[in-house]
Amino acid sequence: MSTSIERMYGTLGIDPKVLAFGREIEASLKERFEKIDNTAEYNQLKVLHAMQKNKVSEACLYPSSGYGYNDVGRDTLEAVYATAFRTESALVRPLIACGTHALAIAMAGNVRPGDEILSPVGKPYDTLEEVIGIRPSKGSLAEYGVTYRQVELLPDGSFDYEGIRAAINERTRLVEIQRSKGYLTRPTFSVAQIGELIAFIKSIKPDVICMVDNCYGEFVEEQEPSEVGADLIVGSLIKNPGGGLAPIGGYIAGKEEYVDNAAYRLTCPGLGKEVGASLGVSLPFFQGFFLAPTVTAGALKGAIFAANIYEKLGFAVTPDSTQERHDIIQAVQFGTPEGVIAFCQGIQAAAPVDSYVAPEPWAMPGYDSDVIMAAGAFVQGSSIELSADGPIKPPYTVYFQGGLTWEHARFGILMSLQKLCEAGIVKL
Ligand SMILES: *Cc1c(COP(=O)(O)O)cnc(C)c1O
């Protein structure tokens, strides 16, 4: 006799064997999921406290227009972010188009010609290469006379402290530390590790600005990098802190002077944070931030579930099935294009939007191979929603993240497994 849940999985196209395999894995993850729930509980209280302390009121949820002078929703929201992330100030705006834009204005606002930017953790996120000018690009910081240096991680993924010491010089003004591995194979750093790195850098040059690219890391731990010495933390609202509800946006939180400098770049010198109407987004920004701790927890459970499923089936997974998590990204190495494609088609088939289309690899601008992307999201490109992508090149790795609820993340992973079974790539 099957239960109503089993029958519903059947209706949605999941074989009993796939479900049984998933159930067995899930049963082994109870303790880890409890830890995630504890983190979410703490972070939920942290966000609620920030909202109460800053007296979020009904008036904060109304739209504004025009210049946005005295936009109480916008200003209160920024105070809420600052309280939650324990910073002096924050800039949280729909005018920030994406994470890259937030990072770009945080950097551009805080360096001047002749300054140098240092990445002590190897190559930064792809899109920052053109912002900094590592790859020549119109309007890059390099065109404004800002130079760049990077220190690679040691082969074991740890910081090259001696290399970093040697790279810091009288022109070093801003240090860019990417928390998440993004689409690289290096490990994601814990908040504690980032704290150690910042302490080391500040011991050599106390006035250098330490900026953390916090994308995909928010609410994964109880602390954020701003609590261990980061002068600025930066991220996207269509990832963790938007809670799936923010339709656009980015944030920069940190020391008031540095946040103001970024705001002078976002709008213009003299105006800074004073202008920029929030239009109608204050409500989803507040509500999304309120939900973000539990949404992030669901995505984390999905990532761990996927790691355990695919590791058990013999695929290489990063992080592995037992590793502690510092971001929500899960990589699975399939070793064949067919594996990557079947996985992504499963994620797409599990979506609430556009589930009936089958994604195909295509030549995306900016990539050196075809890329396949699965995203049936309410918000275009939102990667806190269930999503996956993979370049069609060796070692044929797919990157998976998100899920607004654990129930949906679980279903998406089961559907990916279903598609891999149907394609004959996996046999249960
Ligand atoms: C997503 C992301 C960014 C910014 O990307 P956008 O697509 O511009 O929002 C930057 N760094 C990391 C590590 C990211 O994951």
Side-chain angles (χ1 to χ4, degrees):
M1 267 276 290
S2 59
T3 65
S4 58
I5 294 179
E6 285 161 356
R7 284 195 301 277
M8 190 52 83
Y9 274 113
T11 302
L12 284 157
I14 303 288
D15 281 351
K17 260 202 211 159
V18 169
L19 180 59
F21 186 78
R23 287 293 191 216
E24 199 185 308
I25 297 284
E26 192 185 331
S28 71
L29 297 173
K30 274 217 170 77
E31 266 175 47
R32 294 198 70 191
F33 283 12
E34 248 169 53
K35 271 177 94 177
I36 292 171
D37 289 337
N38 286 342
T39 305
E41 183 176 357
Y42 176 83
N43 284 326
Q44 180 70 79
L45 295 172
K46 178 162 86 172
V47 168
L48 181 62
H49 168 254
M51 291 188 170
Q52 294 186 348
K53 184 173 175 222
N54 291 288
K55 297 196 164 62
V56 175
S57 65
E58 192 188 347
C60 294
L61 308 177
Y62 296 148
S64 66
S65 62
Y67 292 114
Y69 291 138
N70 308 313
D71 183 331
V72 63
R74 177 197 67 202
D75 294 346
T76 306
L77 178 75
E78 290 178 341
V80 166
Y81 265 69
T83 302
F85 292 158
R86 301 211 166 86
T87 59
E88 291 174 10
S89 180
L91 184 69
V92 188
R93 304 284 169 118
L95 302 176
I96 299 177
C98 59
T100 304
H101 186 201
L103 289 156
I105 59 172
M107 286 192 282
N110 283 291
V111 294
R112 296 293 178 269
D115 286 347
E116 188 159 275
I117 293 173
L118 170 68
S119 170
V121 297
K123 193 182 95 58
Y125 198 68
D126 267 4
T127 53
L128 293 186
E129 291 185 17
E130 286 184 85
V131 170
I132 296 168
I134 302 169
R135 274 187 284 142
S137 193
K138 284 266 190 294
S140 71
L141 289 168
E143 287 198 342
Y144 287 89
V146 175
T147 57
Y148 169 78
R149 215 178 263 252
Q150 86 188 28
V151 177
E152 300 302 328
L153 295 168
L154 294 174
D156 67 354
S158 63
F159 305 126
D160 176 5
Y161 283 113
E162 282 325 300
I164 294 167
R165 183 194 301 281
I168 294 174
N169 59 66
E170 67 291 348
R171 296 201 298 111
T172 310
R173 177 67 183 142
L174 185 143
V175 174
E176 208 268 340
I177 302 165
Q178 183 179 315
R179 175 175 175 179
S180 167
K181 66 184 171 302
Y183 302 125
L184 298 171
T185 48
R186 64 133 165 116
T188 290
F189 306 122
S190 68
V191 171
Q193 282 176 300
I194 291 172
E196 285 163 25
L197 176 60
I198 292 173
F200 176 78
I201 290 165
K202 296 254 177 186
S203 76
I204 298 166
K205 193 165 186 187
D207 63 345
V208 80
I209 302 168
C210 290
M211 180 189 92
V212 174
D213 173 351
N214 207 25
C215 282
Y216 286 131
E218 298 89 353
F219 299 124
V220 171
E221 299 184 37
E222 289 186 1
Q223 280 195 313
E224 298 298 334
S226 44
E227 295 169 71
V228 295
D231 299 301
L232 287 171
I233 59 172
V234 183
S236 163
L237 297 200
I238 62 169
K239 294 179 181 170
N240 310 14
L245 294 185
I248 190 170
Y251 78 89
I252 298 169
K255 294 243 165 75
E256 186 167 18
E257 178 190 351
Y258 305 146
V259 172
D260 284 347
N261 286 342
Y264 294 132
R265 271 294 168 141
L266 173 65
T267 64
C268 65
L271 301 186
K273 290 177 79 180
E274 304 293 320
V275 297
S278 55
L279 303 172
V281 301
S282 285
L283 170 53
F285 277 19
F286 275 112
Q287 199 173 4
F289 198 57
F290 181 72
L291 293 178
T294 46
V295 170
T296 302
L300 265 179
K301 288 178 186 175
I304 291 170
F305 184 55
N308 280 270
I309 290 223
Y310 286 106
E311 190 177 82
K312 182 116 192 226
L313 292 169
F315 298 102
V317 296
T318 318
D320 73 25
S321 62
T322 59
Q323 264 170 319
E324 226 187 299
R325 301 284 159 153
H326 308 294
D327 69 12
I328 64 168
I329 303 178
Q330 181 62 48
V332 184
Q333 189 178 312
F334 284 107
T336 62
E338 293 76 21
V340 171
I341 293 167
F343 182 94
C344 289
Q345 292 186 338
I347 296 299
Q348 186 77 37
V353 180
D354 290 337
S355 62
Y356 53 89
V357 303
E360 304 265 357
W362 62 298
M364 244 179 85
Y367 289 82
D368 59 0
S369 68
D370 283 3
V371 177
I372 184 167
M373 297 201 157
F378 294 105
V379 172
Q380 188 196 88
S382 168
S383 48
I384 187 60
E385 297 188 50
L386 190 70
S387 50
D389 41 80
I392 305 298
K393 65 177 181 187
Y396 301 103
T397 298
V398 75
Y399 297 87
F400 159 83
Q401 66 272 314
L404 293 183
T405 65
W406 153 233
E407 287 73 14
H408 186 227
R410 170 172 48 203
F411 175 68
I413 294 149
L414 292 174
M415 188 53 96
S416 72
L417 181 55
Q418 178 73 35
K419 294 288 179 194
L420 283 153
C421 290
E422 286 171 10
I425 298 162
V426 166
K427 285 200 184 33
L428 293 180

